[in-house]
């Protein structure tokens, strides 16, 4: 039995070849690079709200990381409107957050000064002294968390909110302020103001306590 030399060789499996040549994508989430993975997985992550439309992605051949909206995967988020201009988002809540440490420091200093005056007056008159209590620690925590929540809700409505901003807005004010400035591509003036406000508020309170 002889082999038929006139028969053409079998065609390659085009489907397998296309799978091998399909671009593999990396994406940035949870503070680190994730991947490689395929567009279908990226789409599933979007549908499950595990990544945002502005998530940074990259594949071989791209000079730099780009958001999903600006990459070859833009069709995955074509139905979602882009975020509005950062200039249209008010900063009233964050500037209030930035000044709260100073405000609370002044209030506690005023209460402490009042206690000292009351103590001196009671000593002179021979009356019993009953000091006023300062602000309960729960009040600053609640006010900070509420204002942070309001501002993050505003960011979400503008198209910039995320799970990370939601958590930090309520629990970690200084981290949220820096993160917010980065997402909106703003200079972190209000974040730096929070640090200055905290220092000045402590100095004011400490000067009364001495």
């Amino acid at each position: 039995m002889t082999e038929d030399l006139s028969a053409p060789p079998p065609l390659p499996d085009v489907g397998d070849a296309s799978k091998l040549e399909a671009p593999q994508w990396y994406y940035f989430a949870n503070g680190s690079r994730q991947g490689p993975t395929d567009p279908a997985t990226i789409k599933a992550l979007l549908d499950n709200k595990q990544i945002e439309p502005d998530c940074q992605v990259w594949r071989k051949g791209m000079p730099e990381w780009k958001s999903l909206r600006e990459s070859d995967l833009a069709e995955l988020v074509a139905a979602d409107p882009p975020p509005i201009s950062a200039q249209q988002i008010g900063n009233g809540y964050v500037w209030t957050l930035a000044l709260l440490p100073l405000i609370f420091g002044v209030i506690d200093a005023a209460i402490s000064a009042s206690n000292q005056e009351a103590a001196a007056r009671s000593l002179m008159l021979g009356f019993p002294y009953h000091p006023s209590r300062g602000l309960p620690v729960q009040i600053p925590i609640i006010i900070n968390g509420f204002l942070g929540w309001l501002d993050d809700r505003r960011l979400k409505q503008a198209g910039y909110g995320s799970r990370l901003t939601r958590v930090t807005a309520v629990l970690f004010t200084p981290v949220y302020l820096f993160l917010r400035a980065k997402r909106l591509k703003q200079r972190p003036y209000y974040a730096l103001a929070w640090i200055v406000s905290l220092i000045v508020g402590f100095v004011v309170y400490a000067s009364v306590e001495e």
Side-chain angles (χ1 to χ4, degrees):
M1 184 176 182
T2 59
E3 183 179 358
D4 187 1
L5 299 178
S6 63
L11 293 174
D13 190 339
V14 179
D16 291 342
S18 63
K19 291 179 181 178
L20 293 175
E21 297 175 359
Q24 294 295 295
W25 289 85
Y26 294 85
Y27 62 96
F28 189 80
N30 300 322
S32 63
R33 186 185 69 181
Q34 309 289 334
T37 188
D38 53 44
T41 302
I42 299 284
K43 176 61 175 173
L45 292 171
L46 277 170
D47 293 341
N48 294 329
K49 304 298 182 182
Q50 294 179 268
I51 60 174
E52 302 293 331
D54 289 318
C55 173
Q56 296 291 302
V57 296
W58 180 88
R59 65 167 174 80
K60 185 177 180 180
M62 292 175 56
E64 60 184 7
W65 289 73
K66 292 185 177 181
S67 70
L68 273 169
R69 296 183 188 278
E70 300 172 339
S71 71
D72 296 342
L73 300 176
E75 61 182 12
L76 299 181
V77 294
D80 295 328
I84 66 173
S85 171
Q87 297 178 350
Q88 303 299 320
I89 302 175
N91 291 330
Y93 292 136
V94 290
W95 277 109
T96 303
L97 282 170
L99 296 177
L100 278 181
L102 175 59
I103 295 172
F104 291 139
V106 171
I107 292 174
D108 282 335
I111 294 174
S112 179
S114 175
N115 284 337
Q116 292 177 13
E117 292 178 2
R121 191 180 308 113
S122 298
L123 182 62
M124 291 177 59
L125 300 176
F127 295 144
Y129 168 57
H130 301 287
S132 300
R133 294 183 178 179
L135 284 175
V137 67
Q138 294 89 346
I139 291 180
I141 293 176
I142 292 173
I143 293 177
N144 273 279
F146 181 65
L147 289 176
W149 175 79
L150 287 176
D151 190 71
D152 179 68
R153 187 179 67 168
R154 176 180 289 175
L155 285 191
K156 184 177 180 181
Q157 293 172 345
Y160 292 96
S162 68
R163 184 180 302 175
L164 180 59
T165 59
R166 193 175 311 121
V167 172
T168 56
V170 176
L171 300 178
F172 307 104
T173 299
V175 176
Y176 172 71
L177 295 179
F178 279 104
L179 183 62
R180 182 188 193 273
K182 183 178 180 180
R183 288 185 68 85
L184 298 184
K185 297 181 180 180
Q186 298 175 338
R187 295 187 181 276
Y189 292 132
Y190 38 76
L192 297 175
W194 185 92
I195 296 175
V196 174
S197 176
L198 179 67
I199 295 173
V200 175
F202 178 77
V203 170
V204 170
Y205 176 75
S207 64
V208 174
E209 283 291 297
E210 293 179 354

